């Protein structure tokens, strides 16, 4: 027995003063309502309505049940109305998880405008290079950079693409020269990104096709910004995503190694626990992220 449905039916019967009129309002038969009330009375062990062929009245137990039912149903309706009204509003608490380098270089710069636009929103931004369980962590949204998202119960939406290229500082090139072909990379000091899919294997696509390289970086770091800083200090060559490399390259602080070669381009995914997770605050955040990425 659906208690809320039966409560609603009982309330309608009392307020309309008739099984027939209540049944008409609810789109069911009077016989069905009569059976539901009988089952309700049996479950409670009390008679709620006294009925004759001409009249119907509440018993003392029925009056108590009716009054309590009104409070319960009004409270349920109030909650549902608040949820419906808030579904399209950017308010509440938004919890976002993102890698530290992407968070610092891409997310944080657009946060002032985002927070000014939605002053009623609370935001928790967790920047963690580990892949976290977003459901266990209570996150509404996780931004993940992957070549592909594995099949799972999570819902992933592609919001952008990243270019991965090889860089070195001019000071490194002056001391050690620059590789002129993929095969020459093995003769150089490589700084690897510890969490990358390509830590020990580079697939380079260039004008002569695809080159597969086995790499054993003597220096490995778990953060793209730390890798960038080591490259800037002339400590070796390494791969960087464009959101990290664009600034130093534009200023001449880093130069491309094998500029006509690139690694596979990973995708940027906005991940929610379910399609219901795509509410107004999540949508607004993803819209600002797309704009920051030039999408």
């Amino acid at each position: 027995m659906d208690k809320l449905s039966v409560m609603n039916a009982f309330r309608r019967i009392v307020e309309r003063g008739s099984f027939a009129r209540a049944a008409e309002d609810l789109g069911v038969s009077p016989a069905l309502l009569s059976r539901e009330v009988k089952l309700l009375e049996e479950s409670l062990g009390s008679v709620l309505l006294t009925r004759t062929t001409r009249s119907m009245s509440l018993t003392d137990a029925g009056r108590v049940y009716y009054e309590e039912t009104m409070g319960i149903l009004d409270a349920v309706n109030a909650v549902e109305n608040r949820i419906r009204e808030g579904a399209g509003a950017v308010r509440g608490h938004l919890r976002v998880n993102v890698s530290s380098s992407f968070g610092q270089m891409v997310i944080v710069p657009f946060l002032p405008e985002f927070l000014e636009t939605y002053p009623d929103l609370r935001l928790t931004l967790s920047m963690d290079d580990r892949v976290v369980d977003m459901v266990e962590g209570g996150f509404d949204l996780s931004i993940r950079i992957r070549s592909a998202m594995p099949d799972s119960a999570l819902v992933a939406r592609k919001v952008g693409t990243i270019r991965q290229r090889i860089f070195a500082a001019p000071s490194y090139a002056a001391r050690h020269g620059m590789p002129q072909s993929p095969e020459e990379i093995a003769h150089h000091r490589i700084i690897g990104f510890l969490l990358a899919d390509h830590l020990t294997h580079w697939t380079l696509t260039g004008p002569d096709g695809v080159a597969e390289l086995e790499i054993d970086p003597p220096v490995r770091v778990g953060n793209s910004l730390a890798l960038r800083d080591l490259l800037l200090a002339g400590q070796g060559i390494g791969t960087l995503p464009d959101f990290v490399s664009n600034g130093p390259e534009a200023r001449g602080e880093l130069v491309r190694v094998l500029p006509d070669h690139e690694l596979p381009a990973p995708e940027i995914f906005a991940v929610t626990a379910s399609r219901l997770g795509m509410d107004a605050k999540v949508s607004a955040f993803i819209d600002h992220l797309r704009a920051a990425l030039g999408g």
Side-chain angles (χ1 to χ4, degrees), residues 74 112 126 162 212 224 273:
D74 287 345
S126 170
I162 286 175
E212 303 285 351
S224 292

Side-chain angles (χ1 to χ4, degrees), residues 7-287:
M7 285 181 181
N8 187 58
F10 183 78
R11 179 178 180 177
R12 190 62 61 91
I13 291 166
V14 173
E15 292 175 349
R16 295 288 278 159
S18 162
F19 277 81
R21 287 192 289 269
E24 184 179 353
D25 291 347
L26 297 171
V28 298
S29 68
L32 175 61
L33 286 190
S34 181
R35 285 196 301 272
E36 287 190 341
V37 170
K38 184 177 180 181
L39 288 173
L40 176 62
E41 290 175 329
E42 290 174 354
S43 71
L44 295 173
S46 297
V47 175
L48 303 178
L49 292 169
T50 56
R51 287 158 278 181
T52 67
T53 55
R54 297 192 176 194
S55 66
M56 180 192 76
S57 62
L58 284 170
T59 65
D60 289 342
R63 187 169 301 283
V64 171
Y65 188 82
Y66 170 71
E67 291 173 353
E68 294 297 327
T69 291
M70 284 200 305
I72 293 170
L73 291 176
D74 287 345
V76 170
N77 288 334
V79 169
E80 291 181 344
N81 287 336
R82 284 204 304 272
I83 297 299
R84 291 190 190 99
E85 291 169 0
V90 181
R91 63 167 63 100
H93 193 173
L94 176 63
R95 300 169 180 85
V96 181
N97 168 255
V98 65
S99 69
S100 56
S101 56
F102 190 84
Q104 291 180 54
M105 301 301 295
V106 179
I107 303 292
V108 171
F110 74 71
L111 282 186
E113 179 186 353
F114 178 72
L115 295 173
E116 287 286 342
T117 304
Y118 305 110
D120 294 330
L121 185 71
R122 295 180 60 201
L123 175 68
T124 295
L125 178 64
S126 170
M127 294 190 287
D128 193 331
D129 287 316
R130 300 170 301 163
V131 176
V132 301
D133 185 323
M134 62 179 299
V135 176
E136 183 178 332
F139 293 106
D140 303 293
L141 177 66
S142 181
I143 307 301
R144 298 185 181 175
I145 300 172
R146 295 285 183 274
S147 56
M149 286 295 296
D151 292 335
S152 71
L154 302 176
V155 179
R157 302 167 178 84
K158 177 183 170 183
V159 295
T161 301
I162 286 175
R163 309 291 291 275
Q164 290 270 8
R165 303 182 179 98
I166 312 169
F167 290 91
S171 60
Y172 177 88
R175 291 198 310 271
H176 304 285
M178 293 285 263
Q180 299 303 307
S181 70
E183 292 71 26
E184 291 184 22
I185 286 177
H187 303 299
H188 288 263
R189 190 184 196 208
I190 297 170
I191 302 174
F193 180 38
L194 192 59
L195 305 177
D197 295 336
H198 60 270
L199 174 63
T200 58
H201 184 92
W202 289 4
T203 300
L204 298 180
T205 302
D208 297 325
V210 177
E212 303 285 351
L213 305 178
E214 296 303 321
I215 304 295
D216 183 19
V219 179
R220 306 178 183 198
V221 295
N223 180 279
S224 292
L225 299 182
L227 196 157
R228 175 203 63 190
D229 290 347
L230 288 172
L231 296 182
L232 288 170
Q235 292 301 304
I237 68 174
T239 65
L240 288 176
D242 52 11
F243 64 84
V244 173
S245 65
N246 283 344
E249 183 183 14
R251 294 188 295 270
E253 298 167 351
L254 291 176
V255 294
R256 290 191 198 178
V257 177
L258 301 176
D260 52 357
H261 288 74
E262 290 190 10
L263 284 86
E267 312 287 1
I268 307 168
F269 294 98
V271 182
T272 55
S274 72
R275 297 194 183 279
L276 292 178
M278 191 66 168
D279 61 12
K281 60 182 181 290
V282 173
S283 296
F285 190 90
I286 292 176
D287 287 345

